[in-house]
Amino acid sequence: MATAKDNVMPDEDSDEWEEEEYYVLVELSGISHDEFKNCKNCEVIDIDSPSPHLKLDNCIFKGQYKHTVGTAVIFEEGKEKTEDDVPMMNYLCKTVQKLEMERVFLKPKTSASTTDTPSEKLETTDELDEGTSSEDKAMDTG
């Protein structure tokens, strides 16, 4: 789960900014649990677009919003603990959408001109091997 905060322009007669907080259920594929736990930097790009991107250290993910099967309920750790010294969980919110993120890899564009900026010379690919689809990889491992 990720949290996003937006700064909203103040009213004409107000000096203060408003912050809005959103919770996003994110499902990552293409990264191990240990790699994810060791990530130090996180950057979300175009969270409001139909195809947002996520950068975790040097890993890049491309996503799309999908409906969940049923309702996803999100809890947060409370300050109180159970008899077994386990934190109590408090209800935070629920959602019927999730952001499915799949790892992509950058590769140089084959027809980059000299006037392109460095970011325009790169394109994403979600395939490890040329010509191998995600379904083919799933079949090979299963």
Side-chain angles (χ1 to χ4, degrees), residues 63-106:
Q64 61 184 0
Y65 290 96
K66 298 217 174 164
H67 289 283
T68 60
V69 177
T71 302
V73 182
I74 302 170
F75 295 88
E76 65 181 345
E77 283 187 13
K79 295 179 181 174
E80 300 172 9
K81 298 197 180 222
T82 64
E83 296 171 1
D84 301 330
D85 202 33
V86 176
M88 296 287 288
M89 303 302 286
N90 298 323
Y91 172 81
L92 184 62
C93 62
K94 65 181 179 177
T95 185
V96 293
Q97 268 193 334
K98 65 181 173 181
L99 178 55
E100 285 187 356
M101 305 291 291
E102 187 170 332
R103 188 168 181 181
V104 294
F105 298 89
L106 298 178

Side-chain angles (χ1 to χ4, degrees), residues 121-137:
K121 292 181 182 179
L122 297 174
E123 62 183 347
T124 60
T125 177
D126 50 2
E127 308 301 333
L128 290 172
D129 302 314
E130 289 284 327
T132 306
S133 70
S134 299
E135 290 93 20
D136 292 339
K137 288 183 217 167

Side-chain angles (χ1 to χ4, degrees), residues 4-100:
K5 289 187 178 183
D6 284 342
N7 287 325
V8 180
M9 291 290 291
D11 295 334
E12 291 177 18
D13 55 349
S14 173
D15 294 349
E16 297 182 21
W17 288 80
E18 281 185 39
E19 275 191 1
E20 292 182 3
E21 189 170 84
Y22 302 97
Y23 293 93
V24 180
L25 179 62
V26 179
E27 184 177 290
L28 296 175
S29 65
I31 188 170
S32 72
H33 183 69
D34 289 334
E35 284 178 300
F36 177 74
K37 283 176 48 177
N38 293 326
C39 287
K40 303 283 187 235
N41 299 309
C42 175
E43 182 179 348
V44 180
I45 303 161
D46 286 337
I47 190 77
D48 294 332
S49 77
S51 180
H53 288 75
L54 172 70
K55 183 177 179 188
L56 295 174
D57 288 341
N58 292 326
C59 300
I60 310 236
F61 297 85
K62 182 178 180 182
Q64 61 184 0
Y65 290 96
K66 298 217 174 164
H67 289 283
T68 60
V69 177
T71 302
V73 182
I74 302 170
F75 295 88
E76 65 181 345
E77 283 187 13
K79 295 179 181 174
E80 300 172 9
K81 298 197 180 222
T82 64
E83 296 171 1
D84 301 330
D85 202 33
V86 176
M88 296 287 288
M89 303 302 286
N90 298 323
Y91 172 81
L92 184 62
C93 62
K94 65 181 179 177
T95 185
V96 293
Q97 268 193 334
K98 65 181 173 181
L99 178 55
E100 285 187 356

